[in-house]
Amino acid sequence: MGSSNEKLCEDFVKAMQGEFEMSMMGELSFFLGLQIKQSKEGIFVCQSKYCNDIFKRFEMESCKAATTPMSTNCYLSADEVGPVSYL
């Protein structure tokens, strides 16, 4: 969990600790097998460790890599408020 309001975070933690056995372990770095990197530029989620673990599990470490297809006429934007546009 996270918030720009520190008081809300503290209140939430107290409420959760009252209901569940939990501890605060610092900045999030892994969640459900995904790597999480937090910086001034934003929060980034990386699946490389998760993918490598899957490859190892199924003995596929030596497989040939391939790009993931994506539509070439759809552009992603950081604008979360404005309208969606397709170029």
Side-chain angles (χ1 to χ4, degrees):
M1 58 83 198
S3 171
S4 57
N5 185 320
E6 191 170 335
K7 176 75 170 113
L8 287 176
C9 281
E10 291 170 4
D11 292 345
F12 180 73
V13 168
K14 287 178 187 175
M16 293 300 288
Q17 287 175 332
E19 293 292 323
F20 304 100
E21 183 179 330
M22 62 176 274
S23 62
M24 296 297 291
M25 300 183 69
E27 186 174 299
L28 179 68
S29 58
F30 283 96
F31 181 72
L32 298 176
L34 303 174
Q35 294 168 281
I36 311 296
K37 175 69 178 163
Q38 300 178 51
S39 70
K40 291 180 181 180
E41 291 79 31
I43 299 174
F44 301 91
V45 179
C46 178
Q47 293 181 306
S48 61
K49 181 182 181 324
Y50 174 78
C51 292
N52 288 333
D53 290 346
I54 295 292
F55 291 146
K56 286 178 187 175
R57 179 177 173 188
F58 293 100
E59 299 177 2
M60 296 176 65
E61 300 97 334
S62 62
C63 290
K64 183 178 176 185
T67 60
T68 301
M70 182 174 170
S71 175
T72 58
N73 62 350
C74 176
Y75 296 91
L76 303 177
S77 171
D79 182 5
E80 297 175 11
V81 180
V84 176
S85 63
Y86 297 96
L87 301 176

